Amino acid sequence: MWDVSYKRTIGSKGLPEGFEYPRSGEDNYTILGPGQTSVDISTTIKFSDYEGTLKGVAELYLWGWVEYSDGFPGSVRHRSEMCVGLLPVIGDDILRPHTHAEHNGADEDCLKQPMTTA
């Protein structure tokens, strides 16, 4: 199971201390084999949020998590979390991701324990 969400913050710098990184409310499932990748097409960013970030009046953060089990009997449930801020590139109309200090880790380094079962 995986979940990706985004938050727009306006007039402030960074996510508030103690931010809960809420679920998007949608459960997303996929199966990946060794060496395979997946693209998330369910997360969209509004143009006004993109434009506000380029103008410096808003900040965008993407966060998410994935929980999975290895394909071996008796394997433990794993969790990986990620959070990136999107920064405007001066002189260009693109946003560059930067790793946020919190909500980035795997297994015991995660803020939350796995919430799903295999």
Side-chain angles (χ1 to χ4, degrees), residues 50-101:
Y50 168 80
E51 189 175 48
T53 301
L54 287 177
K55 291 178 179 178
V57 297
E59 292 184 351
L60 288 176
Y61 289 87
L62 296 172
W63 69 88
W65 50 265
V66 61
E67 294 180 4
Y68 63 95
S69 296
D70 296 322
F72 307 106
S75 66
V76 298
R77 194 77 170 147
H78 297 281
R79 180 179 173 98
S80 294
E81 298 171 338
M82 71 84 179
C83 180
V84 296
L86 300 177
L87 296 175
V89 176
I90 305 301
D92 210 341
D93 288 340
I94 61 173
L95 300 175
R96 179 181 37 144
H98 71 94
T99 304
H100 186 56

Side-chain angles (χ1 to χ4, degrees), residues 7 9 12-21 100 102 111:
K7 179 172 179 61
T9 60
S12 64
K13 298 296 178 191
L15 294 173
E17 189 174 328
F19 186 68
E20 290 291 322
Y21 302 93
H100 186 56
E102 190 177 65
L111 292 177

Side-chain angles (χ1 to χ4, degrees), residues 28-50:
N28 302 291
Y29 297 91
T30 191
I31 296 175
L32 295 176
Q36 290 183 315
T37 61
S38 177
V39 176
D40 174 24
I41 59 171
S42 65
T43 301
T44 57
I45 297 173
K46 295 177 185 175
F47 182 77
S48 60
D49 292 343
Y50 168 80

